[in-house]
Amino acid sequence: MNEREEQEFAEYFATRRDSARRTAYLLCGDWHRADDLAQTAFVALHRRWRKIRDRAATDAYLRRTLIRASIDESRRPWRREQQVEQVPEPEPSPSLDERVAARADLMTGLRAVPPKQRAVLVLRYFEGLDVARVAKVLGCSEGNVKSQTARGLANLRAALGEEVETHG
């Protein structure tokens, strides 16, 4: 930019700085972030200053740049973090006794499920096979695997007396 353009930008900056900062504050709710957003918007405006033909549209350009900068900033991963007074304690992992008890309950529940349904459940949820592969292993149709899975889960839920997660 030439000296005249630099002077025009400096005058525009001096007159609009506080207004842009207030708008940025309304967008983000933090004065420090508002300063950063306003600075980002003015830097972008400075880069394009020569290309702005209609100086009456400069305020609209600055506003649009400010809003885009705010949205871009909010998408950054560290902005999703929230500050808290105290760091929460991590969830305790189940003890060995609790894991053994859960396994024993599951084994008891599986014994209450008819053998073909039990086989389908084991192949689907413990071996991780898809419906087609289970059908091939058991020598039956995919529809049969689906119905046996639904019945087996219902029987397992009834045996355990609770909801069972099925991830698949």
Side-chain angles (χ1 to χ4, degrees):
M1 282 196 296
N2 62 36
E3 201 171 311
R4 184 182 56 79
E5 290 169 332
E6 282 290 344
Q7 182 61 35
E8 286 176 357
F9 179 80
E11 289 171 7
Y12 180 80
F13 175 77
T15 60
R16 302 300 297 154
R17 176 185 53 216
D18 292 338
S19 174
R21 187 172 176 256
R22 280 190 303 272
T23 300
Y25 176 77
L26 292 172
L27 291 169
C28 70
D30 178 84
W31 283 111
H32 298 290
R33 282 184 59 206
D35 288 335
D36 292 344
L37 292 173
Q39 179 179 353
T40 300
F42 277 113
V43 167
L45 179 63
H46 185 266
R47 274 191 239 125
R48 306 225 5 121
W49 189 256
R50 289 186 115 174
K51 296 178 182 179
I52 297 174
R53 291 186 207 128
D54 182 9
R55 295 287 187 220
T58 306
D59 287 345
Y61 180 82
L62 180 65
R63 244 187 329 274
R64 186 172 59 242
T65 305
L66 197 55
I67 290 169
R68 286 182 179 164
S70 174
I71 292 169
D72 289 347
E73 182 71 13
S74 71
R75 290 180 178 154
R76 297 208 167 104
W78 59 84
R79 290 294 177 208
R80 291 184 215 124
E81 295 177 3
Q82 295 179 354
Q83 294 182 4
V84 293
E85 293 292 324
Q86 285 185 316
V87 178
E89 290 296 321
E91 291 288 325
S93 59
S95 69
L96 181 59
D97 291 342
E98 291 170 330
R99 291 193 313 244
V100 168
R103 182 183 175 114
D105 290 344
L106 177 61
M107 294 307 295
T108 301
L110 279 173
R111 279 189 218 103
V113 175
K116 186 163 183 177
Q117 293 173 8
R118 185 179 333 136
V120 169
L121 294 178
V122 169
L123 291 172
R124 289 278 289 129
Y125 299 108
F126 294 96
E127 294 294 322
L129 300 181
D130 62 9
V131 172
R133 300 247 340 249
V134 172
K136 188 174 181 181
V137 169
L138 296 178
C140 63
S141 71
E142 291 182 21
N144 192 345
V145 171
K146 291 175 185 177
S147 66
Q148 291 296 317
T149 301
R151 288 184 193 122
L153 286 173
N155 286 328
L156 183 59
R157 285 184 186 109
L160 295 176
E162 60 188 53
E163 201 58 32
V164 177
E165 287 188 39
T166 57
H167 306 295

